[in-house]
């Protein structure tokens, strides 16, 4: 058995309230570690809050130093400027290092969403690029650069990838080809507002993503209002091979709610091994880049 404990959360982040957001992020990491989790996933743009609107055009941020990421992979949502473009990213950190930065590839830009006003979508699907960290970060971490782009993290015993909110709902979601590349754990960071019946759509998407191809699907969402006109309804969730194994609350008043689950990755391998069409497509997959973490 390959047992893995994973943690995801609902966080009540506020646009521009860096202090409060940082304290919620820290509290969720502490709770995830206390539960013995090896992965902690937070919501989309959790450092700034999702609904910053034109404040995304400003350049403030926070630096999280210390042993927060010791022995735990943390997926942290924040904007990142690369060259001249601003991306909506998941920064994947572990043991005081940034392992990779995964920019969102399919922005939410319909209904209430206007992400294209502040961000550009990452469209390169080839090799990961080298991103030189800003000087204050590279000095603090003693790390000069980090792989940036579409890819996954290959550990000795499993592979893990980010899929950012809207990407799951897009016509060709990344998890399909990532699964064929051997990714077993998907981390979906979201900033998804409440709409009647939307939870049903979300759950069906998580279950559908992992029912026919196996996998552990982690979902994290913002919770509450963040200063704009939208209400985000949490509902962090963990799904394994099409079954919901843990679910957070929907209309909670808590600032931080962490849910965890111990999952058996062999159940994912076993399901994949039993689906002939999965095996056939995996044998001629389009290769996705990865970062190896021993
Ligand atoms: N932030 C997003 O990408 C939102 C996407 C999606 N339409 C949702 O509401 O969940």
């Amino acid at each position: 058995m390959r047992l893995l404990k994973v943690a995801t959360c609902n966080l009540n982040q506020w646009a521009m309230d860096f202090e409060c957001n940082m304290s919620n992020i820290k509290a969720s990491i502490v709770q995830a570690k206390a539960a013995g989790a090896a992965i902690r996933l937070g919501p989309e743009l959790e450092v700034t809050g999702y609904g910053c609107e034109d404040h995304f055009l400003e350049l403030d941020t926070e630096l999280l130093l210390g042993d927060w990421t010791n022995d735990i992979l943390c997926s942290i949502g924040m904007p990142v400027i690369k060259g001249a473009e601003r991306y909506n990213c998941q920064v994947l950190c572990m043991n005081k290092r940034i392992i990779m930065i995964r920019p969102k590839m399919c922005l939410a830009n319909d209904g209430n969403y206007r992400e294209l006003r502040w961000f550009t979508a990452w469209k390169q699907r080839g090799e990961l690029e080298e991103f030189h960290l800003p000087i204050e970060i590279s000095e603090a971490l003693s790390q000069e650069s980090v792989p940036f782009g579409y890819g996954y993290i290959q550990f000795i015993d499993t592979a893990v990838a980010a899929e950012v909110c809207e990407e799951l709902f897009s016509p060709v979601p990344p998890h399909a080809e990532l699964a064929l590349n051997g990714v077993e754990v998907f981390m979906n960071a979201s900033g998804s507002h409440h709409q009647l019946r939307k939870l049903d759509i979300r759950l069906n998407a998580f279950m559908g993503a992992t029912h026919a191809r196996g996998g552990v699907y982690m979902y994290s969402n913002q919770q509450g209002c963040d200063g704009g006109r939208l209400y985000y309804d949490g509902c962090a969730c963990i799904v394994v091979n099409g079954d919901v194994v843990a679910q957070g609350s929907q209309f909670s008043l808590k600032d931080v709610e962490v849910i965890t689950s111990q999952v058996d990755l062999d159940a994912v391998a076993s399901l994949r091994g039993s689906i002939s069409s999965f095996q056939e497509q995996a044998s001629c997959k389009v290769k996705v880049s990865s970062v190896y973490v021993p």
Side-chain angles (χ1 to χ4, degrees), residues 44 50 88 104 106-110 113 115 164-167 169 189-193 195 198 202 219 221 232:
E44 187 174 11
Y50 183 80
N88 172 350
K104 190 171 181 177
C106 189
L107 299 181
N109 211 53
D110 45 30
Y113 296 93
E115 289 185 3
V164 193
C165 199
E166 176 71 11
E167 291 173 359
F169 305 95
S190 278
S192 182
H193 73 288
Q195 242 178 317
K198 204 206 246 181
R202 287 187 203 131
Y219 178 78
N221 195 11
Y232 303 85

Side-chain angles (χ1 to χ4, degrees), residues 212-229:
R213 53 180 77 84
V216 176
Y217 207 91
M218 302 167 64
Y219 178 78
S220 172
N221 195 11
Q222 178 143 316
Q223 165 72 58
C225 299
D226 74 344
R229 289 179 302 132

Side-chain angles (χ1 to χ4, degrees), residues 14-264:
W14 285 88
M16 305 297 291
D17 191 345
F18 290 103
E19 220 176 292
C20 153
N21 297 346
M22 177 68 90
S23 123
N24 288 346
I25 291 169
K26 284 179 175 170
S28 68
I29 296 175
V30 168
Q31 287 185 38
K33 278 183 167 178
I39 299 180
R40 173 272 179 199
L41 168 67
E44 187 174 11
L45 297 170
E46 60 188 317
V47 172
T48 54
Y50 183 80
C52 281
E53 305 193 349
D54 282 4
H55 289 295
F56 280 126
L57 307 179
E58 298 161 14
L59 298 181
D60 311 311
T61 192
E62 285 269 335
L63 202 52
L64 178 61
L65 292 175
D67 55 8
W68 298 94
T69 61
N70 282 8
D71 298 328
I72 186 164
L73 173 68
C74 290
S75 177
I76 296 177
M78 62 182 286
V80 175
I81 294 173
K82 181 175 184 294
E85 317 91 61
R86 188 183 307 100
Y87 295 100
N88 172 350
C89 294
Q90 287 305 300
V91 179
L92 308 177
C93 314
M94 199 169 111
N95 293 333
K96 302 195 186 84
R97 271 189 83 76
I98 304 177
I99 295 174
M100 77 176 265
I101 299 179
R102 165 63 156 83
K104 190 171 181 177
M105 301 190 297
C106 189
L107 299 181
N109 211 53
D110 45 30
N112 284 311
Y113 296 93
R114 289 292 175 274
E115 289 185 3
L116 274 170
R117 182 177 166 109
W118 308 292
F119 302 103
T120 182
W122 181 257
K123 298 174 197 80
Q124 283 85 282
R125 299 184 76 91
E127 292 294 301
L128 288 158
E129 291 184 11
E130 187 179 8
F131 174 74
H132 290 277
L133 292 164
I135 187 78
E136 62 278 18
I137 297 175
S138 69
E139 277 175 4
L141 299 181
S142 306
Q143 175 182 358
E144 269 175 25
S145 63
V146 57
F148 186 105
Y150 173 47
Y152 62 90
I153 301 176
Q154 180 69 61
F155 292 99
I156 291 173
D157 43 7
T158 189
V160 177
E163 173 161 82
V164 193
C165 199
E166 176 71 11
E167 291 173 359
L168 165 66
F169 305 95
S170 65
V172 186
H175 67 253
E177 82 179 344
L178 288 167
L180 297 177
N181 276 265
V183 171
E184 294 181 315
V185 183
F186 304 96
M187 307 179 290
N188 186 310
S190 278
S192 182
H193 73 288
H194 174 64
Q195 242 178 317
L196 221 48
R197 311 297 308 151
K198 204 206 246 181
L199 177 56
D200 190 49
I201 294 169
R202 287 187 203 131
L203 287 172
N204 281 323
F206 312 148
M207 294 188 293
T210 56
H211 178 258
R213 53 180 77 84
V216 176
Y217 207 91
M218 302 167 64
Y219 178 78
S220 172
N221 195 11
Q222 178 143 316
Q223 165 72 58
C225 299
D226 74 344
R229 289 179 302 132
L230 300 182
Y231 172 81
Y232 303 85
D233 60 335
C235 300
C237 198
I238 302 168
V239 173
V240 180
N241 290 351
D243 294 324
V244 177
V245 296
Q247 193 176 353
S249 51
Q250 185 166 31
F251 301 117
S252 171
L253 294 176
K254 286 187 199 153
D255 287 336
V256 178
E257 183 181 355
V258 175
I259 60 162
T260 61
S261 184
Q262 173 133 292
V263 298
D264 177 8

